[in-house]
Amino acid sequence: MDKWKNYLRSALCSIKHNKVYALFCVVGTAFTFVFIIIMLQLVYDTTSNKAPFVNGDRTIVFNTFQDVNGRNVGGIYSGSTAWLMERIREKEDYFMYYNSVGEVAVNDVCKTFPFAFVNGGYWKVHQFNFVEGRSFTEQECLNKDAYVVLREDMAETFFKSGHAVGQKMEIQGRDYTVIGVVRNFSTYATITEGIWIPYVFNSFSPRGFGHYDLGVLFPRDVSVQNMKESVVVAVKDYWRQINMNVDVKPENLYTFREARIDNFGSDLYAYGIPVAILLLLLIPAINIVTLNMANVDNYSDEIALKRALGAGLWDSFMQVISEIALLVIVGAILGIFLTYPIADWISGSFFNNGDEWQVSLIENLDYLVILCGVFPLSLLFTLLSGGIPAYIIARKNIATVLKGGSK
């Protein structure tokens, strides 16, 4: 313990006498880890089954199909969706999803926004966290109750004065009552609208497509292969009824989680993200190594004297690298605190187009990203940026340094 205290005391003393160098290391490390954290959190949001998409591995999704000649034949006609779902064995529930865009008016202020028509099962498959109110049920859809659910940021956009539940809003010329508000989530992880309306009010305008994106939820004890095979059998029966032979196989279908990964590119996660993180670590590490090598004179005499008095190579190495480790830890912690404002700035500057289309890179920072990503990479960054200079200083010839020779 006394050794560690000495390492820390020596590091603090060196930082005190090299403030500009220390500031450069901390700021450089902070911005390095800001972008690393954003990338790691995006990967985690997209590949994990976190709320609201907790059933990503239990849900098979599909929309359009091709015939045996490769021609697009569209999707399941909306009027036949219930017929199809009755023929899918072992299903637990299903969702219908149709995204559209149109005029949304609140308090005489009218803007164009994207929104989605969904069924009651949508809220069972996707477990949204409601900050206010509730979702609409399938029975309320069939009763044609004009309800709408908003994402939290949308509710703040429309109703700046207070609670949104119970408020009125007009969408495509029809009046709706806000029944619930869901907590914000990373919309980069799955591009989705922040306004949800019962599917019975869908006029399929302006897109004109008469089919929904569909997802089928299965029990936990059903294997993914059996899920896909059940969907394939029902889909083939549907197209056979209208004398069409479609090219659909289990391997062509995706779970909801697989579809999200494929949508943003599996190669990006397999190769692009690791390479980007490696470059983010190497480039600033090289700069810090260069500064460290120029800072060798501050350590050489002290290290040589301690080694002459009996200090080992490991002690000399730890004394030098402890300063870098301390600066990296401070920089990484600062990077964690800077992640949210910088992510919001990136969203607003490069992805969002006014109020009409809101993209949120990250909404929360998961502890697994910190424990399994930031901490190990901080250790790696410390070794990359401080290991080489520390080793060179510790290996210096004692007699040569003490005689005022090469340092």
Side-chain angles (χ1 to χ4, degrees), residues 58-62 65 76 80-95 214-219 222-238 253:
R58 296 201 294 138
T59 306
I60 304 300
V61 294
F62 51 96
F65 300 93
I76 307 299
S80 302
T81 300
W83 180 92
L84 175 78
M85 293 302 168
E86 288 177 358
R87 281 156 178 78
I88 297 179
R89 295 178 290 105
E90 299 182 285
K91 79 172 187 306
E92 188 173 305
D93 213 321
Y94 71 94
F95 74 79
L214 301 174
V216 184
L217 176 67
F218 288 86
V222 180
S223 69
V224 172
Q225 183 64 24
N226 287 341
M227 296 179 200
K228 294 180 178 181
E229 289 175 354
S230 296
V231 172
V232 166
V233 170
V235 168
K236 284 187 173 181
D237 284 346
Y238 168 81
L253 295 177

Side-chain angles (χ1 to χ4, degrees), residues 330-393:
V330 173
I333 293 174
L334 179 60
I336 293 173
F337 285 102
L338 290 176
T339 297
Y340 285 113
I342 291 180
D344 288 342
W345 176 79
I346 293 174
S347 299
S349 300
F350 299 99
F351 294 102
N352 293 335
N353 181 21
D355 293 331
E356 287 78 8
W357 196 272
Q358 298 292 327
V359 173
S360 176
L361 283 180
I362 58 175
E363 283 297 335
N364 54 67
L365 193 56
D366 290 85
Y367 72 92
L368 287 176
V369 173
I370 301 297
L371 294 178
C372 302
V374 176
F375 284 170
L377 289 176
S378 297
L379 177 60
L380 177 60
F381 188 73
T382 299
L383 294 175
L384 287 174
S385 58
I388 295 175
Y391 179 76
I392 291 175
I393 297 171

Side-chain angles (χ1 to χ4, degrees), residues 46 254-267 269:
T46 306
Y254 291 130
T255 65
F256 187 74
R257 187 169 75 93
E258 291 170 343
R260 286 159 53 196
I261 295 173
D262 182 72
N263 186 43
F264 292 102
S266 56
D267 288 342
Y269 296 115

Side-chain angles (χ1 to χ4, degrees), residues 140-374:
E140 287 171 334
C141 290
L142 298 176
N143 293 342
K144 293 188 176 182
D145 293 331
Y147 293 138
V148 61
V149 174
L150 303 176
R151 197 172 60 227
E152 191 175 9
D153 58 340
M154 287 294 183
E156 293 171 355
T157 298
F158 293 127
F159 308 103
K160 301 181 185 297
S161 58
H163 297 295
V165 170
Q167 302 286 345
K168 302 290 185 180
M169 57 193 309
E170 182 182 312
I171 303 174
Q172 287 187 322
R174 183 187 298 273
D175 290 331
Y176 293 88
T177 300
V178 179
I179 192 177
V181 178
V182 302
R183 190 178 304 280
N184 290 335
F185 55 93
S186 175
T187 52
Y188 182 88
T190 176
I191 300 301
T192 183
E193 289 66 34
I195 305 173
W196 295 273
I197 307 169
Y199 69 100
V200 293
F201 300 110
N202 189 3
S203 62
F204 298 97
S205 173
R207 290 177 61 201
F209 302 127
H211 61 266
Y212 286 87
D213 294 344
L214 301 174
V216 184
L217 176 67
F218 288 86
R220 297 184 185 279
D221 59 349
V222 180
S223 69
V224 172
Q225 183 64 24
N226 287 341
M227 296 179 200
K228 294 180 178 181
E229 289 175 354
S230 296
V231 172
V232 166
V233 170
V235 168
K236 284 187 173 181
D237 284 346
Y238 168 81
W239 290 107
R240 194 177 295 116
Q241 295 290 326
I242 53 179
N243 300 317
M244 295 194 70
N245 187 14
V246 296
D247 181 23
V248 54
K249 305 181 183 67
E251 56 267 26
N252 299 138
L253 295 177
Y254 291 130
T255 65
F256 187 74
R257 187 169 75 93
E258 291 170 343
R260 286 159 53 196
I261 295 173
D262 182 72
N263 186 43
F264 292 102
S266 56
D267 288 342
L268 174 66
Y269 296 115
Y271 306 107
I273 296 295
V275 170
I277 290 176
L278 181 61
L279 290 176
L280 281 171
L281 290 172
L282 283 178
I283 294 174
I286 291 173
N287 291 329
I288 294 175
V289 166
T290 303
L291 289 175
N292 261 332
M293 297 303 295
N295 200 35
V296 164
D297 288 344
N298 294 330
Y299 286 101
S300 295
D301 292 339
E302 180 184 350
I303 295 298
L305 182 59
K306 287 185 176 182
R307 289 196 61 197
L309 295 174
L313 182 63
W314 174 253
D315 289 332
S316 302
F317 177 84
M318 288 302 299
Q319 180 179 343
V320 178
I321 204 171
S322 60
E323 178 185 354
I324 299 298
L326 183 60
L327 294 174
V328 169
I329 291 172
V330 173
I333 293 174
L334 179 60
I336 293 173
F337 285 102
L338 290 176
T339 297
Y340 285 113
I342 291 180
D344 288 342
W345 176 79
I346 293 174
S347 299
S349 300
F350 299 99
F351 294 102
N352 293 335
N353 181 21
D355 293 331
E356 287 78 8
W357 196 272
Q358 298 292 327
V359 173
S360 176
L361 283 180
I362 58 175
E363 283 297 335
N364 54 67
L365 193 56
D366 290 85
Y367 72 92
L368 287 176
V369 173
I370 301 297
L371 294 178
C372 302
V374 176

Side-chain angles (χ1 to χ4, degrees), residues 100-104 111-115 154 157-158 195 355-356:
S100 187
V101 64
E103 297 297 322
V104 178
K111 291 185 178 181
T112 301
F113 276 92
F115 45 82
M154 287 294 183
T157 298
F158 293 127
I195 305 173
D355 293 331
E356 287 78 8

